[in-house]
Amino acid sequence: MSTPYPFTAVVGQTDLRLALLLNAVSPAVGGVLVRGEKGTAKSTAVRALSALLPQVDVVPGCRFSCAPGAPDPACPDGPHEPGAGAARPARMVELPVGASEDRLVGALDIERALSEGVKAFEPGLLADAHRGILYVDEVNLLHDHLIDLLLDAAAMGASYVEREGVSVRHAARFLLVGTMNPEEGELRPQLLDRFGLTVEVAASREPAQRVEVVRRRLAYEDDPAAFAIRWADEEHEVRARVVAARALLPQVSLGDTALLQIAAACAGFEVDGMRADIVMARTATALAAWAGRTSVRKEDVRQAALLALPHRRRRNPFDAPGLDEEMLDRILDGFPDEEPEPEPDPEPQGPDDGGDGGGDGGGPDGDGGGVPPQHDGPPAQEADSPEAAPDAPDTTREDAPQPSAQGSGAAEQAPVAAAEPFRTKVLSVPGLGEGAAGRRSRARTAHGRTTGSQRPRGHLTKLHLAATVHAAAPHQKARGRAGRGLVIRKDDLRQATREGREGNLVLFVVDASGSMAARQRMGAVKGAVMSLLLDAYQRRDKVGLITFRGSGAELALPPTSSVDAAAARLERLPTGGRTPLAAGLLKAHEVLRVERLRDPSRRPLLVVVTDGRATSAGVPGGRPGDTPRELSGRSARLLASEGIASVVVDCESGPVRLGLAGVLAADLGAPAVTLDGLRADSLAGLVKNVRTAVTHTASLDSVSRRAA
């Protein structure tokens, strides 16, 4: 729709709106990361923010939005002569998940650079977002190298493009806002730290609040222009307050007591580095300016901590983000309050008397900042889009009850806690893939070491200079070369081929039967799987979880990038009943078949965690007289015949061992490793064994086909 949803019409979501407004007041805060389930006004609020930002003056015709009073001396469109500028609204630029590096930072015309010797640069999204907002929806799904480029530009305030000796630099200062659904996977901790503030949002479970969400959304969709006019006064008031707070910001004083409170809070919560202290100081200052004050109070520091620290406390993906508010209060109470200053005349503060800075504010008493007033009903959460109905049932929460396919006859035991995770060595898929960028297996990627060249299949992104010159050299005489430069044509250009690492689909098949039910043993098994999940998180894999016990197998977690969701399902995993090993393997075969259709470039790695026993078939259609062991062996050989890389984690313990996990590993064409051998210091040679075993299985399969 051409008319954006008004920011002041977003119902509820106080913290989200406050965090966005604080960044509008002081872009130096460093942006906002909005985490939450789908349909919770994340995108709606962000897109509405741009209408509240003051207009910017730009040099007419400058593609990089230089300010007339202080143009960038290194602007590619410069130098600019001093003069009057043209005012335009602040831009909000969206970065799509599938964007290329060239689309983000800009692209050089390599053909013109070689043939004409000119720097023909086409600006990217970073240039478009300069002095505005750069919005990244589903930021956790962006490739790592794009996130690195994005956050480096946000930190330095400039974008650098280097291509084959041609260098371009331009200013890139923008308000960075990212949204994400944690169910789709987490950002790395070092990337989380680069966002100034974070906000957790969730849909209301109160019917009256949800009714108000639907009422406003339907009114907007029926007539967007009329709906926007209805909220025009509130929009104007908040816009004026942002302008007033920006003007007041340089006058805000950050006293020694406030600095000590900030330092004590960061030290007390053991956050890494000093970025948290700096962000908290800037946020507390912006809160004071937003409230119309020239000094920072304790409530400003408290609110700044609630916005700036939760995402910096995570040590691994299994830690829930959040902050202990009682602990925060104890830390801050150890410092005396500074003398409160007289409240200023509300006139210069904009719309305070309109009610938008009242009890909806960020501080405990409403003094730490405010948000626009809410009319026409109780506060609630707004839907992100017309497609995301706010009253849709929540079927993806980690604490939702999971259906059981194990059969009611299983002697179920209560879940046991996982042992302490440990560091594992990498398990990789053999061969050379072409999957999504990651850190596990070798693959052809857009980034990595150069291994060769080829003709470009589309837009040239990585020029192989030597191969291009080699292709053009034999034709120089025929092309009438007269000067020193080469005569380059489009057919001469060669694309560099690179080798890096890809992320894989790591599918865990975990035995939860009675033979695994010894509490100490199952705790060790869960600890091992947790360790592998942590490794999968660090290597940017997708993960899935299949469990088998009783009368069948269950897909406990469909393949996802959210390893913390897998960890939560594993923690609640009950045990008991017989061991349908064949059912677990066949379920894995079915899941991998479907995933191969969905994402054919992502190669799988199957990790079977079992002691190798098979005491129940758990699958229909077997031949008469088939034993559970024969069924499991045939299922394993089916997986091996398709070349699926596998590892068997042998959970058998005790002085007498049957070695059944080793037999299963032989059927899978996979190595078997004990729980103790899974540790990093005991895993030497396992990757080699995976590669050798799969290659050997593929060779045997080829021989069998030729014989047939």
Side-chain angles (χ1 to χ4, degrees), residues 539-563:
R539 301 189 185 281
R540 316 304 288 170
D541 294 316
K542 290 180 69 175
V543 296
L545 178 64
I546 293 172
T547 63
F548 59 93
R549 67 181 182 92
S551 60
E554 173 188 1
L555 180 59
L557 182 72
T560 175
S561 297
S562 179
V563 296

Side-chain angles (χ1 to χ4, degrees), residues 86-382:
R88 64 161 175 79
R91 292 174 180 159
M92 198 205 68
V93 177
E94 293 195 41
L95 173 62
V97 170
S100 65
E101 179 181 344
D102 287 345
R103 185 71 186 98
L104 177 63
V105 301
L108 289 168
D109 190 331
I110 300 296
E111 185 176 2
R112 289 190 63 192
L114 287 175
S115 59
E116 302 175 28
V118 298
K119 295 182 181 180
F121 179 70
E122 183 66 27
L125 295 177
L126 291 180
D128 293 341
H130 180 47
R131 304 177 68 196
I133 302 173
L134 182 61
Y135 171 44
V136 189
D137 194 12
E138 303 294 350
V139 64
N140 52 325
L141 301 184
L142 279 179
H143 289 307
D144 284 352
H145 72 282
L146 290 182
I147 296 177
D148 292 338
L149 289 170
L150 177 67
L151 296 180
D152 283 345
M156 296 185 296
S159 175
Y160 295 85
V161 183
E162 304 284 347
R163 296 288 169 83
E164 305 296 340
V166 183
S167 176
V168 173
R169 174 212 168 273
H170 65 83
R173 290 181 294 276
F174 46 81
L175 168 56
L176 176 63
V177 182
T179 59
M180 59 175 285
N181 184 346
E183 294 173 354
E184 299 293 337
E186 290 285 355
L187 284 173
R188 302 196 310 268
Q190 61 267 39
L191 299 183
L192 281 172
D193 186 53
R194 301 297 287 273
F195 283 93
L197 309 179
T198 187
V199 177
E200 294 279 342
V201 295
S204 172
R205 298 298 184 259
E206 292 295 329
Q209 295 178 339
R210 300 174 77 97
V211 165
E212 182 60 25
V213 170
V214 176
R215 181 181 292 118
R216 292 192 185 184
R217 191 73 208 190
L218 293 179
Y220 170 66
E221 292 175 358
D222 287 343
D223 192 341
F227 188 82
I229 292 173
R230 175 183 167 190
W231 292 91
D233 290 343
E234 286 82 355
E235 293 281 290
H236 175 74
E237 290 175 357
V238 176
R239 189 181 302 111
R241 189 174 179 187
V242 170
V243 173
R246 280 191 173 188
L248 184 62
L249 187 65
Q251 305 173 36
V252 176
S253 152
L254 186 66
D256 291 342
T257 299
L259 285 171
L260 285 172
Q261 291 170 345
I262 291 170
C266 294
F269 286 105
E270 299 180 349
V271 296
D272 296 331
M274 294 298 298
R275 184 174 283 118
D277 302 65
I278 297 171
V279 170
M280 274 190 65
R282 290 171 174 166
T283 305
T285 303
L287 279 162
W290 177 247
R293 290 184 270 101
T294 57
S295 65
V296 173
R297 297 179 181 176
K298 180 190 294 185
E299 56 262 30
D300 299 325
V301 175
R302 185 183 191 277
Q303 183 62 52
L306 294 176
L307 293 173
L309 296 186
H311 61 301
R312 293 184 165 90
R313 297 193 62 241
R314 304 191 78 192
R315 294 296 185 268
N316 64 63
F318 311 140
D319 294 337
L323 208 64
D324 185 342
E325 295 192 35
E326 292 184 1
M327 179 179 173
L328 176 61
D329 289 335
R330 288 196 300 270
I331 293 173
L332 298 182
D333 287 343
F335 297 88
D337 291 330
E338 293 186 347
E339 285 295 323
E341 64 174 7
E343 289 297 332
D345 184 358
E347 284 294 329
Q349 307 311 322
D352 271 352
D353 54 354
D356 63 316
D360 220 4
D365 300 317
D367 292 333
V371 291
Q374 299 304 309
H375 304 292
D376 301 333
Q381 282 74 23
E382 180 65 31

Side-chain angles (χ1 to χ4, degrees), residues 609-671:
V609 185
T610 181
D611 58 7
R613 290 182 173 87
T615 60
S616 172
V619 292
R623 295 183 300 210
D626 279 346
T627 66
R629 172 69 195 94
E630 291 170 338
L631 283 173
S632 63
R634 194 154 61 243
S635 302
R637 289 190 290 274
L638 173 64
L639 290 164
S641 67
E642 297 184 4
I644 295 174
S646 307
V647 176
V648 176
V649 179
D650 184 359
C651 302
E652 192 173 27
S653 60
V656 179
R657 305 198 179 197
L658 302 178
L660 296 177
V663 177
L664 173 65
D667 288 333
L668 284 169

Side-chain angles (χ1 to χ4, degrees), residues 400-406 547 554-556 569:
Q402 298 300 313
S404 175
Q406 315 301 349
T547 63
E554 173 188 1
L555 180 59
R569 303 288 167 88

